[in-house]
Coordinates of all heavy atoms in Angstrom, one line a residue:
M222 N 41.3 -29.1 2.3 CA 40.3 -28.6 1.4 C 39.3 -27.8 2.2 O 38.9 -28.2 3.3 CB 39.5 -29.8 0.8 CG 38.3 -29.5 0.0 SD 37.5 -30.8 -0.9 CE 37.8 -32.3 0.0
I223 N 38.9 -26.7 1.7 CA 37.9 -25.8 2.4 C 36.7 -25.9 1.5 O 36.7 -25.7 0.3 CB 38.4 -24.4 2.5 CG1 39.7 -24.3 3.3 CG2 37.4 -23.5 3.1 CD1 40.4 -23.0 3.3
V224 N 35.5 -26.1 2.2 CA 34.2 -26.3 1.5 C 33.3 -25.1 2.0 O 33.2 -24.9 3.2 CB 33.6 -27.6 1.8 CG1 32.3 -27.7 1.1 CG2 34.5 -28.8 1.4
H225 N 32.7 -24.4 1.0 CA 31.8 -23.4 1.4 C 30.5 -23.6 0.5 O 30.6 -23.7 -0.7 CB 32.4 -22.0 1.1 CG 31.4 -20.9 1.3 ND1 31.0 -20.5 2.6 CD2 30.8 -20.1 0.4 CE1 30.1 -19.5 2.4 NE2 29.9 -19.3 1.1
H226 N 29.4 -23.5 1.2 CA 28.1 -23.6 0.5 C 27.4 -22.3 0.6 O 27.0 -21.9 1.7 CB 27.2 -24.7 1.0 CG 25.9 -24.9 0.3 ND1 24.7 -24.5 0.8 CD2 25.7 -25.3 -1.0 CE1 23.8 -24.7 -0.1 NE2 24.4 -25.2 -1.2
D227 N 27.2 -21.6 -0.5 CA 26.4 -20.4 -0.5 C 24.9 -20.8 -0.7 O 24.5 -21.1 -1.8 CB 26.9 -19.5 -1.7 CG 26.1 -18.2 -1.9 OD1 25.0 -18.1 -1.2 OD2 26.5 -17.4 -2.7
S228 N 24.2 -20.8 0.4 CA 22.8 -21.3 0.3 C 21.9 -20.4 -0.5 O 20.9 -20.8 -1.1 CB 22.3 -21.6 1.7 OG 22.4 -20.4 2.5
E229 N 22.2 -19.1 -0.5 CA 21.4 -18.2 -1.2 C 21.4 -18.5 -2.7 O 20.4 -18.4 -3.4 CB 21.8 -16.7 -1.0 CG 21.0 -15.7 -1.7 CD 21.4 -14.3 -1.5 OE1 22.1 -14.0 -0.4 OE2 21.1 -13.4 -2.3
H230 N 22.6 -18.8 -3.3 CA 22.7 -19.1 -4.7 C 22.9 -20.6 -5.0 O 23.0 -21.1 -6.1 CB 23.9 -18.4 -5.3 CG 23.8 -16.9 -5.2 ND1 24.4 -16.1 -4.3 CD2 23.0 -16.1 -5.9 CE1 24.1 -14.9 -4.4 NE2 23.2 -14.8 -5.4
D231 N 22.8 -21.4 -3.9 CA 23.0 -22.9 -4.0 C 24.3 -23.2 -4.8 O 24.2 -24.0 -5.7 CB 21.8 -23.6 -4.5 CG 21.8 -25.1 -4.3 OD1 22.5 -25.5 -3.4 OD2 21.1 -25.8 -5.0
C232 N 25.4 -22.6 -4.4 CA 26.7 -22.9 -5.0 C 27.6 -23.4 -4.0 O 27.8 -22.9 -2.9 CB 27.2 -21.6 -5.6 SG 28.8 -21.7 -6.4
L233 N 28.2 -24.6 -4.4 CA 29.2 -25.2 -3.5 C 30.6 -24.9 -4.0 O 30.9 -25.2 -5.2 CB 29.0 -26.7 -3.5 CG 29.8 -27.5 -2.5 CD1 29.4 -27.2 -1.1 CD2 29.7 -29.0 -2.8
T234 N 31.4 -24.3 -3.2 CA 32.8 -24.0 -3.6 C 33.8 -24.9 -2.8 O 33.7 -25.0 -1.6 CB 33.1 -22.5 -3.3 OG1 32.3 -21.7 -4.0 CG2 34.6 -22.2 -3.7
L235 N 34.7 -25.5 -3.6 CA 35.7 -26.3 -2.9 C 37.1 -25.7 -3.3 O 37.4 -25.6 -4.4 CB 35.7 -27.8 -3.5 CG 34.8 -28.7 -2.9 CD1 33.4 -28.4 -3.3 CD2 35.1 -30.1 -3.2
Q236 N 37.8 -25.3 -2.2 CA 39.1 -24.7 -2.4 C 40.1 -25.8 -2.0 O 40.2 -26.2 -0.8 CB 39.3 -23.5 -1.5 CG 40.6 -22.8 -1.7 CD 40.8 -21.6 -0.8 OE1 39.9 -21.2 -0.1 NE2 42.0 -21.0 -0.8
L237 N 40.7 -26.4 -3.0 CA 41.6 -27.5 -2.8 C 43.0 -27.1 -2.3 O 43.4 -26.0 -2.6 CB 41.7 -28.4 -4.0 CG 40.3 -28.9 -4.6 CD1 40.5 -29.6 -5.9 CD2 39.7 -29.8 -3.6
G238 N 43.7 -28.0 -1.6 CA 45.0 -27.7 -1.1 C 46.0 -28.1 -2.2 O 45.7 -28.1 -3.4
E239 N 47.3 -28.3 -1.8 CA 48.4 -28.6 -2.8 C 48.1 -29.8 -3.7 O 48.5 -29.7 -4.8 CB 49.7 -28.8 -2.0 CG 50.4 -27.5 -1.6 CD 51.7 -27.8 -1.0 OE1 52.5 -28.6 -1.6 OE2 52.1 -27.1 -0.1
R240 N 47.6 -30.8 -3.1 CA 47.4 -32.1 -3.8 C 46.0 -32.3 -4.2 O 45.1 -32.3 -3.3 CB 48.0 -33.2 -3.0 CG 49.5 -33.1 -2.8 CD 50.0 -34.2 -1.9 NE 49.6 -35.5 -2.4 CZ 50.1 -36.6 -1.9 NH1 50.8 -36.6 -0.9 NH2 49.7 -37.8 -2.4
F241 N 45.7 -32.5 -5.4 CA 44.4 -33.0 -5.9 C 44.6 -34.4 -6.4 O 44.9 -34.6 -7.6 CB 43.8 -32.0 -6.9 CG 42.4 -32.3 -7.4 CD1 41.5 -33.1 -6.6 CD2 41.9 -31.7 -8.5 CE1 40.2 -33.3 -7.0 CE2 40.6 -31.9 -8.9 CZ 39.8 -32.7 -8.2
D242 N 44.5 -35.4 -5.6 CA 44.8 -36.7 -5.9 C 43.9 -37.7 -5.1 O 43.1 -37.2 -4.3 CB 46.3 -37.0 -5.8 CG 46.8 -36.8 -4.4 OD1 46.0 -36.8 -3.4 OD2 48.1 -36.7 -4.3
F243 N 44.2 -38.9 -5.2 CA 43.4 -40.0 -4.5 C 43.4 -39.8 -3.0 O 42.4 -40.2 -2.3 CB 43.9 -41.4 -4.8 CG 43.0 -42.4 -4.3 CD1 41.8 -42.7 -5.0 CD2 43.3 -43.2 -3.2 CE1 40.9 -43.7 -4.5 CE2 42.4 -44.2 -2.7 CZ 41.3 -44.4 -3.4
S244 N 44.4 -39.1 -2.4 CA 44.4 -38.9 -1.0 C 43.2 -38.1 -0.5 O 42.9 -38.2 0.7 CB 45.7 -38.3 -0.5 OG 45.8 -36.9 -1.0
I245 N 42.6 -37.3 -1.3 CA 41.4 -36.5 -0.9 C 40.1 -37.0 -1.4 O 39.1 -36.4 -1.3 CB 41.6 -35.0 -1.2 CG1 41.5 -34.8 -2.8 CG2 42.8 -34.4 -0.7 CD1 41.1 -33.4 -3.1
H246 N 40.2 -38.2 -2.0 CA 39.0 -38.8 -2.6 C 37.8 -38.8 -1.7 O 36.7 -38.4 -2.0 CB 39.3 -40.2 -3.1 CG 38.1 -40.9 -3.8 ND1 37.3 -41.7 -3.1 CD2 37.7 -40.8 -5.1 CE1 36.3 -42.1 -4.0 NE2 36.5 -41.6 -5.1
R247 N 38.0 -39.3 -0.5 CA 36.8 -39.5 0.5 C 36.3 -38.1 0.8 O 35.1 -37.9 0.8 CB 37.3 -40.2 1.7 CG 36.1 -40.3 2.7 CD 36.5 -41.2 3.9 NE 36.6 -42.5 3.4 CZ 37.3 -43.5 4.0 NH1 38.0 -43.2 5.0 NH2 37.3 -44.7 3.4
D248 N 37.1 -37.1 1.1 CA 36.7 -35.8 1.5 C 35.9 -35.1 0.3 O 34.9 -34.5 0.5 CB 37.8 -34.9 1.9 CG 38.4 -35.4 3.3 OD1 37.7 -36.0 4.0 OD2 39.6 -35.0 3.5
F249 N 36.5 -35.3 -0.9 CA 35.9 -34.7 -2.1 C 34.5 -35.3 -2.3 O 33.5 -34.6 -2.6 CB 36.8 -34.9 -3.3 CG 36.3 -34.2 -4.6 CD1 36.8 -32.9 -4.9 CD2 35.4 -34.8 -5.4 CE1 36.3 -32.3 -6.0 CE2 35.0 -34.2 -6.6 CZ 35.5 -32.9 -6.9
H250 N 34.4 -36.6 -2.2 CA 33.2 -37.3 -2.4 C 32.1 -36.9 -1.4 O 31.0 -36.6 -1.8 CB 33.4 -38.8 -2.3 CG 32.2 -39.6 -2.6 ND1 31.3 -40.0 -1.7 CD2 31.8 -40.2 -3.8 CE1 30.3 -40.7 -2.3 NE2 30.6 -40.8 -3.6
E251 N 32.5 -36.8 -0.1 CA 31.6 -36.4 0.9 C 31.1 -34.9 0.7 O 29.9 -34.6 0.9 CB 32.2 -36.5 2.3 CG 32.3 -38.0 2.7 CD 33.0 -38.2 4.1 OE1 33.2 -37.1 4.8 OE2 33.3 -39.3 4.4
A252 N 32.0 -34.1 0.3 CA 31.6 -32.7 0.1 C 30.7 -32.5 -1.1 O 29.7 -31.7 -1.0 CB 32.9 -31.8 -0.1
C253 N 31.0 -33.2 -2.2 CA 30.2 -33.0 -3.4 C 29.0 -33.9 -3.6 O 28.0 -33.6 -4.2 CB 31.1 -33.1 -4.6 SG 32.4 -31.9 -4.7
L254 N 29.3 -35.2 -3.2 CA 28.3 -36.2 -3.6 C 27.6 -36.8 -2.3 O 26.9 -37.8 -2.4 CB 29.0 -37.3 -4.3 CG 29.9 -36.9 -5.5 CD1 30.6 -38.1 -6.0 CD2 29.1 -36.2 -6.6
G255 N 27.9 -36.2 -1.2 CA 27.4 -36.7 0.1 C 25.9 -36.7 0.2 O 25.1 -36.7 -0.8
A256 N 25.4 -36.7 1.4 CA 24.0 -36.9 1.8 C 23.0 -36.0 1.0 O 22.0 -36.6 0.5 CB 23.8 -36.6 3.3
G257 N 23.3 -34.8 0.8 CA 22.3 -33.9 0.1 C 22.3 -34.1 -1.4 O 23.1 -34.8 -2.0
G258 N 21.3 -33.5 -2.1 CA 21.2 -33.6 -3.5 C 22.3 -32.7 -4.1 O 23.0 -32.0 -3.4
A259 N 22.3 -32.6 -5.4 CA 23.2 -31.8 -6.1 C 22.9 -30.3 -5.9 O 21.8 -29.9 -5.8 CB 23.1 -32.1 -7.6
A260 N 24.0 -29.5 -5.8 CA 23.8 -28.1 -5.7 C 23.5 -27.6 -7.1 O 23.7 -28.3 -8.1 CB 25.1 -27.4 -5.2
R261 N 23.1 -26.3 -7.2 CA 22.8 -25.7 -8.5 C 24.0 -25.5 -9.3 O 24.1 -25.7 -10.5 CB 22.0 -24.4 -8.3 CG 21.5 -23.9 -9.7 CD 20.7 -22.6 -9.5 NE 21.5 -21.5 -9.1 CZ 22.3 -20.8 -9.9 NH1 22.5 -21.2 -11.2 NH2 23.0 -19.8 -9.5
S262 N 25.1 -25.1 -8.6 CA 26.4 -24.9 -9.3 C 27.6 -25.2 -8.3 O 27.4 -25.3 -7.1 CB 26.5 -23.4 -9.8 OG 26.5 -22.5 -8.7
Y263 N 28.7 -25.4 -9.0 CA 29.9 -25.7 -8.2 C 31.1 -24.9 -8.7 O 31.2 -24.6 -9.9 CB 30.3 -27.2 -8.5 CG 29.3 -28.2 -7.9 CD1 28.2 -28.5 -8.7 CD2 29.4 -28.8 -6.7 CE1 27.2 -29.4 -8.2 CE2 28.5 -29.7 -6.2 CZ 27.4 -30.0 -7.0 OH 26.4 -30.8 -6.5
V264 N 32.0 -24.6 -7.8 CA 33.3 -23.9 -8.1 C 34.4 -24.8 -7.5 O 34.4 -25.0 -6.3 CB 33.3 -22.5 -7.6 CG1 34.7 -21.9 -7.9 CG2 32.2 -21.6 -8.2
I265 N 35.3 -25.2 -8.4 CA 36.4 -26.0 -8.0 C 37.6 -25.1 -8.1 O 38.0 -24.7 -9.2 CB 36.6 -27.3 -8.8 CG1 35.3 -28.1 -8.9 CG2 37.8 -28.1 -8.3 CD1 34.8 -28.6 -7.5
D266 N 38.2 -24.6 -7.0 CA 39.3 -23.7 -6.9 C 40.6 -24.4 -6.9 O 40.9 -25.1 -5.9 CB 39.1 -22.7 -5.8 CG 40.2 -21.6 -5.8 OD1 41.2 -21.7 -6.4 OD2 39.9 -20.6 -5.1
L267 N 41.4 -24.3 -7.9 CA 42.7 -25.1 -8.0 C 43.9 -24.1 -7.7 O 45.0 -24.5 -8.0 CB 42.9 -25.7 -9.4 CG 41.8 -26.7 -9.8 CD1 42.1 -27.3 -11.2 CD2 41.6 -27.8 -8.8
G268 N 43.6 -23.0 -7.2 CA 44.7 -22.0 -6.9 C 45.9 -22.4 -6.2 O 47.0 -22.0 -6.4
E269 N 45.7 -23.4 -5.2 CA 46.8 -23.9 -4.4 C 47.3 -25.2 -4.9 O 48.3 -25.7 -4.3 CB 46.4 -24.0 -2.9 CG 46.0 -22.6 -2.3 CD 45.6 -22.8 -0.9 OE1 46.0 -23.8 -0.2 OE2 44.9 -21.9 -0.4
V270 N 46.7 -25.8 -5.9 CA 47.1 -27.1 -6.3 C 48.4 -27.1 -7.1 O 48.5 -26.3 -8.1 CB 45.9 -27.8 -7.2 CG1 46.4 -29.1 -7.7 CG2 44.7 -27.9 -6.3
T271 N 49.3 -27.9 -6.7 CA 50.6 -28.0 -7.4 C 50.7 -29.4 -8.1 O 51.5 -29.6 -9.0 CB 51.8 -27.9 -6.5 OG1 51.7 -28.8 -5.4 CG2 51.8 -26.4 -5.9
S272 N 49.9 -30.4 -7.7 CA 49.9 -31.7 -8.3 C 48.5 -32.3 -8.4 O 47.7 -32.1 -7.5 CB 50.9 -32.7 -7.6 OG 50.4 -33.0 -6.3
M273 N 48.3 -32.9 -9.5 CA 47.0 -33.5 -9.8 C 47.2 -34.8 -10.5 O 48.1 -34.9 -11.4 CB 46.2 -32.5 -10.7 CG 44.8 -33.0 -11.0 SD 43.8 -31.7 -11.8 CE 44.6 -31.6 -13.4
D274 N 46.5 -35.9 -10.1 CA 46.7 -37.2 -10.8 C 45.4 -37.6 -11.5 O 44.4 -36.8 -11.5 CB 47.2 -38.2 -9.9 CG 46.2 -38.6 -8.8 OD1 45.0 -38.2 -8.9 OD2 46.5 -39.4 -7.9
S275 N 45.4 -38.7 -12.1 CA 44.3 -39.2 -12.9 C 43.0 -39.4 -12.0 O 41.9 -39.2 -12.5 CB 44.6 -40.5 -13.7 OG 44.9 -41.5 -12.8
S276 N 43.2 -39.7 -10.8 CA 42.0 -39.9 -9.9 C 41.3 -38.5 -9.7 O 40.1 -38.5 -9.6 CB 42.4 -40.5 -8.6 OG 43.2 -39.6 -7.8
A277 N 42.0 -37.4 -9.8 CA 41.4 -36.1 -9.7 C 40.5 -35.9 -10.9 O 39.4 -35.4 -10.8 CB 42.4 -35.0 -9.7
L278 N 40.9 -36.3 -12.1 CA 40.1 -36.2 -13.3 C 38.8 -37.1 -13.1 O 37.7 -36.6 -13.5 CB 40.9 -36.6 -14.5 CG 42.1 -35.8 -14.8 CD1 42.9 -36.4 -16.0 CD2 41.8 -34.3 -15.0
G279 N 39.0 -38.2 -12.6 CA 37.8 -39.1 -12.3 C 36.9 -38.5 -11.3 O 35.7 -38.6 -11.5
M280 N 37.4 -37.9 -10.3 CA 36.5 -37.2 -9.3 C 35.7 -36.1 -10.0 O 34.5 -35.9 -9.7 CB 37.3 -36.6 -8.1 CG 37.8 -37.7 -7.2 SD 38.7 -36.9 -5.8 CE 40.4 -37.2 -6.3
L281 N 36.3 -35.3 -10.9 CA 35.6 -34.3 -11.6 C 34.5 -34.8 -12.5 O 33.4 -34.3 -12.5 CB 36.6 -33.4 -12.4 CG 37.6 -32.5 -11.6 CD1 38.6 -31.9 -12.5 CD2 36.8 -31.4 -10.8
L282 N 34.8 -35.9 -13.1 CA 33.8 -36.6 -14.0 C 32.6 -37.1 -13.2 O 31.5 -37.0 -13.6 CB 34.4 -37.7 -14.8 CG 35.4 -37.3 -15.9 CD1 36.0 -38.5 -16.5 CD2 34.7 -36.4 -16.9
L283 N 32.9 -37.7 -12.0 CA 31.8 -38.1 -11.1 C 31.0 -37.0 -10.6 O 29.7 -37.0 -10.6 CB 32.4 -38.9 -9.9 CG 32.9 -40.3 -10.2 CD1 33.6 -40.8 -8.9 CD2 31.8 -41.2 -10.6
L284 N 31.6 -35.9 -10.3 CA 30.9 -34.7 -9.9 C 30.0 -34.2 -11.0 O 28.8 -33.8 -10.8 CB 31.8 -33.6 -9.5 CG 31.2 -32.2 -9.2 CD1 30.2 -32.3 -8.1 CD2 32.3 -31.2 -8.9
R285 N 30.5 -34.2 -12.3 CA 29.8 -33.7 -13.4 C 28.5 -34.6 -13.6 O 27.4 -34.1 -13.8 CB 30.6 -33.8 -14.7 CG 29.9 -33.2 -15.9 CD 30.9 -33.2 -17.1 NE 30.3 -32.6 -18.2 CZ 29.5 -33.2 -19.1 NH1 29.4 -34.5 -19.0 NH2 29.0 -32.6 -20.1
E286 N 28.6 -35.9 -13.5 CA 27.5 -36.8 -13.6 C 26.5 -36.5 -12.5 O 25.3 -36.4 -12.8 CB 27.9 -38.2 -13.6 CG 28.6 -38.7 -14.9 CD 27.8 -38.5 -16.1 OE1 26.6 -38.9 -16.1 OE2 28.3 -37.9 -17.1
H287 N 26.9 -36.4 -11.3 CA 26.1 -36.1 -10.1 C 25.3 -34.8 -10.3 O 24.2 -34.7 -9.9 CB 26.9 -36.1 -8.9 CG 26.2 -35.7 -7.6 ND1 25.3 -36.5 -7.0 CD2 26.2 -34.5 -6.9 CE1 24.8 -35.9 -5.9 NE2 25.3 -34.7 -5.9
A288 N 26.0 -33.8 -10.9 CA 25.4 -32.5 -11.0 C 24.5 -32.3 -12.3 O 24.0 -31.2 -12.5 CB 26.5 -31.4 -11.1
G289 N 24.4 -33.4 -13.1 CA 23.4 -33.3 -14.2 C 24.1 -33.3 -15.5 O 23.5 -33.0 -16.5
A290 N 25.3 -33.8 -15.6 CA 26.1 -34.0 -16.9 C 26.1 -32.7 -17.7 O 26.6 -31.7 -17.3 CB 25.5 -35.2 -17.7
D291 N 25.4 -32.7 -18.9 CA 25.5 -31.5 -19.8 C 24.8 -30.3 -19.2 O 25.0 -29.2 -19.6 CB 24.9 -31.9 -21.1 CG 25.8 -32.8 -22.0 OD1 27.0 -32.9 -21.7 OD2 25.2 -33.4 -22.9
R292 N 23.9 -30.5 -18.2 CA 23.2 -29.4 -17.5 C 24.0 -28.9 -16.4 O 23.6 -27.9 -15.7 CB 21.8 -29.9 -17.1 CG 20.9 -30.3 -18.2 CD 19.5 -30.7 -17.7 NE 19.5 -31.6 -16.5 CZ 19.7 -32.9 -16.6 NH1 20.0 -33.5 -17.7 NH2 19.7 -33.7 -15.5
A293 N 25.1 -29.5 -16.0 CA 25.9 -29.2 -14.9 C 26.6 -27.8 -15.1 O 27.1 -27.5 -16.1 CB 27.0 -30.2 -14.6
E294 N 26.6 -27.0 -14.0 CA 27.3 -25.7 -14.0 C 28.5 -25.9 -13.0 O 28.3 -25.7 -11.8 CB 26.4 -24.6 -13.6 CG 27.1 -23.3 -13.6 CD 26.2 -22.1 -13.2 OE1 25.0 -22.1 -13.4 OE2 26.8 -21.2 -12.6
I295 N 29.6 -26.3 -13.6 CA 30.8 -26.5 -12.8 C 31.9 -25.6 -13.4 O 32.3 -25.8 -14.5 CB 31.3 -27.9 -12.8 CG1 30.1 -28.8 -12.3 CG2 32.5 -28.1 -11.9 CD1 30.4 -30.3 -12.4
R296 N 32.4 -24.7 -12.5 CA 33.5 -23.8 -12.9 C 34.8 -24.3 -12.2 O 34.8 -24.5 -11.0 CB 33.2 -22.4 -12.6 CG 32.1 -21.8 -13.4 CD 31.8 -20.4 -13.0 NE 31.0 -20.5 -11.8 CZ 31.1 -19.6 -10.8 NH1 31.8 -18.5 -10.9 NH2 30.3 -19.7 -9.7
I297 N 35.9 -24.4 -13.0 CA 37.2 -24.7 -12.5 C 38.0 -23.4 -12.6 O 38.1 -22.9 -13.7 CB 37.9 -25.9 -13.2 CG1 37.0 -27.1 -13.1 CG2 39.3 -26.1 -12.7 CD1 37.5 -28.3 -13.9
V298 N 38.4 -22.9 -11.4 CA 39.0 -21.6 -11.4 C 40.5 -21.7 -10.9 O 40.8 -22.6 -10.1 CB 38.2 -20.6 -10.6 CG1 36.8 -20.4 -11.2 CG2 38.1 -21.0 -9.1
N299 N 41.2 -20.7 -11.2 CA 42.6 -20.5 -10.7 C 43.6 -21.6 -11.0 O 44.5 -21.8 -10.2 CB 42.5 -20.2 -9.2 CG 41.7 -19.0 -8.9 OD1 41.8 -18.0 -9.6 ND2 41.0 -19.0 -7.8
A300 N 43.4 -22.3 -12.1 CA 44.3 -23.4 -12.4 C 45.5 -22.8 -13.0 O 45.5 -21.9 -13.9 CB 43.7 -24.3 -13.4
G301 N 46.7 -23.2 -12.5 CA 48.0 -22.8 -13.1 C 48.1 -23.2 -14.5 O 47.4 -24.1 -15.0
T302 N 49.2 -22.8 -15.2 CA 49.4 -23.1 -16.6 C 49.5 -24.6 -16.8 O 48.9 -25.1 -17.8 CB 50.7 -22.4 -17.1 OG1 50.6 -21.0 -16.8 CG2 50.9 -22.6 -18.6
E303 N 50.2 -25.3 -16.0 CA 50.4 -26.7 -16.2 C 49.1 -27.5 -16.0 O 48.8 -28.4 -16.8 CB 51.5 -27.2 -15.2 CG 51.9 -28.7 -15.5 CD 53.0 -29.1 -14.6 OE1 54.0 -28.3 -14.5 OE2 53.0 -30.2 -14.1
L304 N 48.4 -27.1 -14.9 CA 47.1 -27.8 -14.7 C 46.1 -27.5 -15.8 O 45.4 -28.4 -16.2 CB 46.5 -27.4 -13.3 CG 47.3 -27.8 -12.1 CD1 46.6 -27.3 -10.8 CD2 47.4 -29.3 -12.0
R305 N 46.1 -26.3 -16.2 CA 45.2 -25.9 -17.3 C 45.5 -26.7 -18.6 O 44.6 -27.2 -19.3 CB 45.3 -24.4 -17.6 CG 44.3 -23.8 -18.6 CD 44.4 -22.3 -18.7 NE 44.1 -21.6 -17.5 CZ 42.9 -21.3 -17.2 NH1 41.9 -21.5 -18.0 NH2 42.6 -20.6 -16.1
S306 N 46.8 -26.9 -18.9 CA 47.2 -27.6 -20.0 C 46.7 -29.1 -19.9 O 46.2 -29.7 -20.9 CB 48.7 -27.6 -20.2 OG 49.1 -28.4 -21.2
T307 N 46.9 -29.7 -18.7 CA 46.5 -31.1 -18.5 C 45.0 -31.2 -18.7 O 44.5 -32.1 -19.3 CB 46.8 -31.5 -17.0 OG1 48.3 -31.4 -16.9 CG2 46.3 -32.9 -16.7
L308 N 44.2 -30.3 -18.2 CA 42.8 -30.3 -18.3 C 42.4 -30.2 -19.8 O 41.4 -30.9 -20.2 CB 42.1 -29.2 -17.5 CG 42.2 -29.4 -16.0 CD1 41.9 -28.1 -15.2 CD2 41.4 -30.6 -15.5
R309 N 43.1 -29.3 -20.5 CA 42.7 -29.2 -22.0 C 43.1 -30.4 -22.8 O 42.3 -30.9 -23.6 CB 43.5 -28.0 -22.5 CG 42.8 -26.7 -22.1 CD 43.3 -25.5 -23.0 NE 42.5 -24.3 -22.6 CZ 43.1 -23.2 -22.1 NH1 44.4 -23.2 -21.9 NH2 42.4 -22.2 -21.7
V310 N 44.2 -31.0 -22.5 CA 44.7 -32.2 -23.2 C 43.6 -33.4 -22.9 O 43.3 -34.1 -23.8 CB 46.1 -32.7 -22.7 CG1 46.4 -34.1 -23.2 CG2 47.1 -31.7 -23.3
A311 N 43.1 -33.4 -21.7 CA 42.1 -34.4 -21.4 C 40.7 -34.1 -21.9 O 39.8 -34.9 -21.7 CB 42.1 -34.6 -19.8
G312 N 40.6 -32.9 -22.5 CA 39.3 -32.5 -23.1 C 38.3 -32.0 -22.1 O 37.1 -31.8 -22.3
F313 N 38.8 -31.6 -20.9 CA 37.9 -31.1 -19.8 C 37.5 -29.7 -20.1 O 36.5 -29.2 -19.5 CB 38.6 -31.2 -18.5 CG 38.5 -32.6 -17.9 CD1 38.8 -33.7 -18.6 CD2 38.1 -32.8 -16.5 CE1 38.7 -35.0 -18.0 CE2 38.0 -34.0 -16.0 CZ 38.3 -35.1 -16.7
D314 N 38.2 -29.0 -21.0 CA 37.7 -27.6 -21.3 C 36.4 -27.7 -22.1 O 35.7 -26.7 -22.2 CB 38.8 -26.9 -22.2 CG 39.2 -27.7 -23.4 OD1 39.2 -28.9 -23.4 OD2 39.5 -27.0 -24.4
K315 N 36.0 -28.9 -22.6 CA 34.7 -29.0 -23.3 C 33.6 -29.5 -22.3 O 32.4 -29.4 -22.6 CB 34.9 -30.0 -24.4 CG 35.8 -29.5 -25.5 CD 36.1 -30.6 -26.5 CE 37.0 -30.1 -27.6 NZ 38.3 -29.6 -27.2
L316 N 34.0 -30.0 -21.2 CA 33.1 -30.5 -20.2 C 32.8 -29.6 -19.0 O 31.8 -29.6 -18.4 CB 33.6 -31.8 -19.6 CG 33.8 -33.0 -20.6 CD1 34.4 -34.2 -19.9 CD2 32.5 -33.3 -21.3
F317 N 33.8 -28.7 -18.8 CA 33.7 -27.8 -17.6 C 34.0 -26.4 -18.1 O 34.7 -26.2 -19.1 CB 34.7 -28.2 -16.5 CG 34.6 -29.6 -16.0 CD1 35.2 -30.6 -16.6 CD2 33.7 -29.8 -14.9 CE1 35.0 -31.9 -16.1 CE2 33.6 -31.1 -14.4 CZ 34.2 -32.1 -15.0
M318 N 33.6 -25.4 -17.3 CA 34.0 -24.0 -17.6 C 35.3 -23.7 -16.9 O 35.4 -23.8 -15.7 CB 32.9 -23.0 -17.0 CG 31.6 -23.1 -17.7 SD 30.4 -22.1 -17.0 CE 29.5 -23.3 -16.0
L319 N 36.4 -23.5 -17.7 CA 37.7 -23.2 -17.1 C 37.9 -21.7 -17.1 O 37.8 -21.0 -18.1 CB 38.8 -23.8 -18.0 CG 38.8 -25.4 -18.1 CD1 40.0 -25.8 -19.0 CD2 38.9 -26.0 -16.7
H320 N 38.2 -21.2 -15.9 CA 38.4 -19.8 -15.7 C 39.8 -19.5 -15.1 O 40.2 -20.3 -14.2 CB 37.3 -19.1 -14.8 CG 36.0 -19.2 -15.5 ND1 35.6 -18.4 -16.4 CD2 35.0 -20.1 -15.2 CE1 34.3 -18.7 -16.8 NE2 33.9 -19.7 -16.0

């Protein structure tokens, strides 16, 4: 996982690797929910992700709550067809901006 914080726009970008699952839970948590307060916006880049499990969905929901729930600006980008379908079936297209 590559984490980049654009301090000028207060945007935290997470570029995830092949697996978005429980194995990255600690790193995801530290990057998004760690010591500092919530960023103004988040970008979750799924361009390299080939597998995602239910814990990934849970991590996204925790991030949404941390970022202000309905006020949260979280964009999920570069999701492949299968991942995009999973996110839609789970109703995440109503909770997050899917690009």
Side-chain angles (χ1 to χ4, degrees):
M222 172 174 30
I223 298 170
V224 179
H225 173 73
H226 182 250
D227 176 351
S228 56
E229 182 178 337
H230 297 102
D231 195 19
C232 178
L233 186 69
T234 300
L235 277 74
Q236 183 178 355
L237 303 176
E239 278 187 40
R240 296 174 56 173
F241 186 18
D242 58 20
F243 190 75
S244 69
I245 69 159
H246 180 266
R247 179 172 291 156
D248 292 337
F249 187 91
H250 186 273
E251 287 176 11
C253 295
L254 313 173
R261 190 179 69 73
S262 64
Y263 296 83
V264 175
I265 308 299
D266 187 341
L267 301 181
E269 295 181 24
V270 175
T271 57
S272 66
M273 180 172 69
D274 68 6
S275 60
S276 66
L278 300 177
M280 287 183 258
L281 290 171
L282 290 174
L283 286 173
L284 172 59
R285 184 175 184 273
E286 288 303 311
H287 175 74
D291 289 340
R292 297 180 315 279
E294 183 181 325
I295 303 171
R296 290 177 285 147
I297 299 175
V298 300
N299 300 323
T302 304
E303 188 175 315
L304 293 178
R305 187 179 294 273
S306 176
T307 299
L308 291 166
R309 284 196 177 115
V310 166
F313 278 48
D314 56 329
K315 294 170 181 60
L316 301 175
F317 302 90
M318 294 174 261
L319 297 180
H320 297 281

